[in-house]
Amino acid sequence: GDPSYALYASETGAIFESLAARATLLHETLNSLEGYSCTPLAGAMYAFPRVRLPPRAIAAAKQQGMAPDALYCLELLMATGICVVPGSGFGQREGTHHYRTTILPRDEKVAKVARLLTDFHAKFLDKYGHDDLQ
């Protein structure tokens, strides 16, 4: 091989290791949250977690003329600056709520996102209720 191959292999390996660590952190964080479920991120740069929402949040969204997952995403953005895409725009199954997020931010930023998301979700459930998540 080419003299630059060792450097290329090292840099590429570090990038893939970092992406794998971010995927693991995000997957574990999402699945630790009440009402969340997320499949492992295998080979993708996106997570598409399911979020079970309280009936009061669903009613508040309908009252504002928006999908429940859009309400969740908007409140997340306003409270934390984290921008995710509501799953309702992807043709999700009726009665389910999702959003799409990515693992592309650098390691330290993904760790911060995990902390902010955890805090936000707890406050969201405190606001709208923990019972009968749908």
Side-chain angles (χ1 to χ4, degrees), residues 98-128:
H98 301 80
Y99 65 81
R100 186 181 76 178
T101 189
T102 183
I103 62 165
L104 289 177
R106 294 185 309 198
D107 294 356
E108 64 276 3
K109 293 208 183 239
V110 170
K112 181 179 179 182
V113 164
R115 286 190 307 275
L116 289 170
L117 178 60
T118 298
D119 292 343
F120 165 79
H121 188 66
K123 290 174 184 169
F124 185 88
L125 292 181
D126 287 344
K127 177 179 178 180
Y128 291 107

Side-chain angles (χ1 to χ4, degrees), residues 45-77:
M45 294 181 289
Y46 297 103
F48 199 65
R50 178 176 181 177
V51 185
R52 290 172 179 82
L53 299 174
R56 288 189 356 221
I58 294 168
K62 289 181 181 176
Q63 187 176 39
Q64 296 176 47
M66 65 174 65
D69 54 2
L71 172 76
Y72 187 88
C73 294
L74 183 59
E75 289 198 20
L76 176 63
L77 176 63

Side-chain angles (χ1 to χ4, degrees), residues 9-25:
S10 172
E11 290 174 346
T12 302
I15 290 168
F16 286 129
E17 286 176 21
S18 175
L19 287 170
R22 290 182 243 170
T24 298
L25 173 63

